[in-house]
Amino acid sequence: MLASEPETLRPVSYTPASGVVAMGDQQAIDYDVVVIGAGFGGMYMLYRLRQLGFTARAVEAADDVGGTWYWNRYPGARCDVESVEYSYSFDAQLQQDWVWTERYAAQPEILRYAQHVADRFDLRRDISFMSRVDAATFDDTAATWTVDVSGQHAGTLRSRFLVSAVGCLSSTNWPDIPGRDTFAGDRYHTGQWPHHEVDFTGKVVGVIGTGSSGIQSIPIIAQQAEHLYVFQRTPNYTVPAHNRPMPAEELAELKARYDEIRAIDRTLSGGFGAQYPRGTVGAMDVSDEERAAEYQRRWDIGGFTYLGGFTDALLSKESNFTAAEFVRGKIREIVTDPEVAALLSPDHVIACKRLCFDTGYYETYNRPNVTLVDIHDGGIEEITPTGLRAGGADYALDALVFATGFDAMTGTLLRMDIRGPELSLREAWSAGPRTYLGLGVHGIPNFFVITGPGSPSVLTNMIMSIEQHVEWIGDCLAAMRAGGQQRIEATEDAQDQWVGYVNAVADATLFPTCNSWYLGANVPGKTRVFMPLPGLPPYREQCDAVAANGYEGFVLA
Ligand code: NAP
């Protein structure tokens, strides 16, 4: 128990459903499971564990639920999966009751949804907010985790299992630019945006970074700022989101078909886009006119659908080039200054860095108060108290926005000191992350990662992947309880084979061909490994088969 023993960290008053027995020796532990994080993964894990009769506590750094949607409050933050799909499916009444107001929900609405789920299922009583897991050590004799927590609920928790629900994009990347901390103006990171409204009216603002966060925030900052400088290292492809209000009749019609939509989503590689059938032929199998018409049709629908017209957008360089060239043509059409249009035009494979969606992004560069600064050659030389220097020129700034992304997928996991009996997670992953199914790690028993590296995770509708993982973990724990087992660990062999399989699948695609955060290439010194696994439906089948075969590839004792 905790040194200070606050009531909130006591085991909850929850009584397991009749006939349900708790796991093993309950004297030695405070909870069956400690869950790290209370975003969409942690919330559903808590709910599921409760349903199954396990005791659990989640530890969350923020003062409320929501995870990525709690932190990413930058102007224009919006989901790129349609709201009816980017939502939990586990409770039919929840999905019928919640009213989405836009095609793509904005951050405040998604956060309200997360808060509603927490209220509806009374989840907060099992969450220690404003607290962080700093370290966790597994005692192999007692099959018990000792979890060190700092912050408001500082102390030690003992549990049989540890589940990471820290999310894939939760450690912000603050690039180590000389003089970074000397800037005397207002400094922001899109992934750690303040909770109060930030108004750039009358200010000269610099934005570093043109990934999804930059591309969503730049048009809005440009509308407020006296002048906006965008410092671009690599241009990115972006497709219009065509976001719009969701009419009540349309939402009702979608809700009436919810089961069908979810069923279609389960067959799709990314777990979303049920309303937009995929093409069945390769891009080079049709005439130039047919291909251009299909790209235009999908450009007009907007979002990820753009790449769904042909089967080989991410398999064939030649096909991919046609999709990329179509976007470059759009940039030339929209941006009036040909030099700026050329600077905005990417030359890498489209979607090997995550495709972006925007509202008026390219149009923003036609504004007289916006300047695109190309820094691909020398980067930013120095940040100074009054602004920054790039390409030998000084830019005076009142505010500086870092839209520089995240130490993705492994950053938050490795910030904690997670220790198995003989090695730590940091040691196990010293040459890049290695997992079995993205769920388990050899050498770290009784530890599960929700949407970990080696699982489809960030290439999918995250909520669908979260649900699949949470349900698999819940079923696994229930099976262990039924079998009287208290320890589970992935075998080295199964893990090696899995890592080989993930690499082989990724290498058959165009994904690994550019310097993306999928590969860890955005963080200097990070080992390059393609971290997510393309293709959710086959992955789901593999996970189900592992479970059906008595958790093959894991040793249970
Ligand atoms: P990101 O995609 O990693 O983009 C970071 C940007 O910062 C890139 O343009 C990068 O340039 C630049 N950058 C990084 N370090 C730099 C440095 N030292 N100097 C100059 N430029 C530097 O990060 P993000 O935009 O936050 O997006 C991350 C992911 O979060 C997305 O891919 C997506 O999965 C998710 N997200 C989703 C949404 C949505 O749902 N719509 C919105 C926001 C984020 P380089 O390309 O040259 O490295």
Side-chain angles (χ1 to χ4, degrees):
M1 239 321 123
L2 291 179
S4 54
E5 296 210 321
E7 263 314 296
T8 51
L9 270 189
R10 282 277 181 205
V12 293
S13 56
Y14 171 71
T15 315
S18 65
V20 175
V21 286
M23 309 244 355
D25 173 12
Q26 294 292 299
Q27 301 300 318
I29 57 172
D30 302 316
Y31 301 98
D32 292 319
V33 186
V34 166
V35 178
I36 314 171
F40 281 103
M43 286 200 296
Y44 184 38
M45 192 75 247
L46 266 187
Y47 172 84
R48 191 77 178 176
L49 289 167
R50 257 193 216 167
Q51 295 288 94
L52 291 166
F54 294 111
T55 58
R57 165 123 324 242
V59 180
E60 166 58 53
D63 67 6
D64 203 358
V65 296
T68 197
W69 299 104
Y70 174 94
W71 297 104
N72 284 265
R73 296 166 187 243
Y74 61 84
R78 184 179 295 288
C79 190
D80 52 10
V81 172
E82 295 196 21
S83 44
V84 287
E85 290 169 305
Y86 190 83
S87 50
Y88 287 124
S89 67
F90 71 82
D91 187 283
Q93 200 53 50
L94 168 65
Q95 69 181 11
Q96 288 301 325
D97 289 351
W98 183 259
V99 177
W100 294 107
T101 65
E102 294 182 88
R103 181 183 181 196
Y104 296 99
Q107 175 272 335
E109 188 165 68
I110 302 175
L111 187 58
R112 279 199 300 279
Y113 172 73
Q115 291 164 341
H116 168 79
V117 171
D119 291 340
R120 187 176 182 116
F121 299 110
D122 190 17
L123 296 178
R124 287 192 183 84
R125 68 182 157 92
D126 291 338
I127 305 172
S128 300
F129 290 107
M130 299 183 78
S131 304
R132 277 183 187 278
V133 170
D134 296 326
T137 308
F138 189 71
D139 173 349
D140 216 2
T141 318
T144 301
W145 281 101
T146 302
V147 183
D148 298 334
V149 178
S150 63
Q152 193 160 27
H153 298 282
T156 301
L157 296 172
R158 284 161 64 81
S159 65
R160 180 111 311 133
F161 297 95
L162 183 65
V163 175
S164 167
V166 299
C168 298
L169 297 162
S170 46
S171 277
T172 44
N173 173 36
W174 287 94
D176 199 10
I177 299 168
R180 186 189 66 191
D181 299 328
T182 64
F183 183 62
D186 299 327
R187 196 179 72 162
Y188 306 94
H189 193 294
T190 46
Q192 281 179 316
W193 202 259
H195 288 202
H196 58 84
E197 199 179 331
V198 177
D199 186 0
F200 293 107
T201 306
K203 303 229 161 118
V204 179
V205 183
V207 173
I208 306 173
T210 49
S212 302
S213 306
I215 282 173
Q216 287 188 331
S217 55
I218 283 165
I220 295 175
I221 297 174
Q223 285 164 23
Q224 297 174 357
E226 182 186 313
H227 200 92
L228 171 64
Y229 293 98
V230 176
F231 298 95
Q232 174 189 272
R233 188 164 70 181
T234 314
N236 242 312
Y237 297 93
T238 171
V239 170
H242 295 309
N243 182 48
R244 55 177 169 75
M246 172 72 78
E249 319 75 62
E250 185 180 338
L251 185 60
E253 189 270 327
L254 290 168
K255 283 182 176 178
R257 294 196 293 118
Y258 237 138
D259 287 350
E260 180 197 333
I261 291 170
R262 300 292 194 187
I264 297 172
D265 281 344
R266 273 192 282 277
T267 67
L268 300 173
S269 173
F272 65 99
Q275 299 183 70
Y276 312 104
R278 300 294 193 273
T280 52
V281 294
M284 308 318 290
D285 297 337
V286 299
S287 69
D288 291 355
E289 293 72 30
E290 284 171 288
R291 192 184 313 117
E294 181 64 359
Y295 287 141
Q296 182 63 50
R297 192 176 76 77
R298 288 178 178 266
W299 177 272
D300 293 339
I301 295 170
F304 279 112
T305 317
Y306 175 68
L307 285 178
F310 301 105
T311 51
D312 55 357
L314 273 153
L315 298 174
S316 151
K317 271 199 166 161
E318 199 184 8
S319 296
N320 186 284
F321 181 83
T322 64
E325 191 53 23
F326 185 88
V327 178
R328 287 190 284 265
K330 288 291 179 193
I331 299 171
R332 288 190 291 270
E333 263 174 52
I334 297 168
V335 179
T336 48
D337 181 334
E339 270 181 42
V340 177
L343 283 180
L344 286 168
S345 297
D347 58 9
H348 53 265
V349 157
I350 185 169
C352 70
K353 282 178 188 250
R354 178 154 167 137
L355 190 59
C356 304
F357 307 107
D358 69 277
T359 301
Y361 179 68
Y362 293 127
E363 291 82 349
T364 296
Y365 293 92
N366 294 334
R367 295 176 65 102
N369 71 330
V370 176
T371 306
L372 180 66
V373 184
D374 173 26
I375 56 164
H376 89 275
D377 244 353
I380 292 166
E381 288 146 38
E382 189 183 2
I383 294 178
T384 65
T386 55
L388 63 77
R389 188 173 317 114
D394 282 304
Y395 298 87
L397 304 170
D398 301 314
L400 184 53
V401 176
F402 286 76
T404 46
F406 302 89
D407 182 353
M409 304 202 73
T410 57
T412 309
L413 279 163
L414 294 177
R415 222 164 45 187
M416 299 178 286
D417 188 11
I418 294 175
R419 293 188 169 268
E422 272 155 36
L423 88 171
S424 67
L425 189 65
R426 288 174 188 156
E427 287 160 348
W429 287 7
S430 58
R434 297 181 73 77
T435 68
Y436 177 43
L437 300 175
L439 279 160
V441 181
H442 174 67
I444 319 282
N446 289 15
F447 175 56
F448 297 99
V449 185
I450 297 174
T451 64
S455 76
S457 59
V458 292
L459 298 178
T460 69
N461 171 357
M462 283 303 293
I463 297 195
M464 178 171 268
S465 280
I466 282 168
E467 289 190 326
Q468 186 249 337
H469 267 188
V470 165
E471 287 160 19
W472 192 96
I473 294 167
D475 290 351
C476 175
L477 296 188
M480 287 179 70
R481 179 174 56 195
Q485 292 136 337
Q486 300 197 12
R487 187 186 191 281
I488 179 168
E489 181 182 352
T491 68
E492 193 164 17
D493 225 31
Q495 180 168 282
D496 287 349
Q497 282 184 36
W498 187 254
V499 171
Y501 169 75
V502 174
N503 287 338
V505 174
D507 286 345
T509 72
L510 300 174
F511 277 119
T513 59
C514 61
N515 292 331
S516 67
W517 59 257
Y518 297 141
L519 275 166
N522 62 326
V523 175
K526 189 164 172 172
T527 312
R528 285 191 179 214
V529 176
F530 191 80
M531 293 183 281
L533 167 70
L536 185 53
Y539 171 76
R540 186 193 297 274
E541 278 174 29
Q542 282 157 317
C543 289
D544 290 348
V546 165
N549 292 330
Y551 294 93
E552 192 177 14
F554 290 95
V555 173
L556 279 67

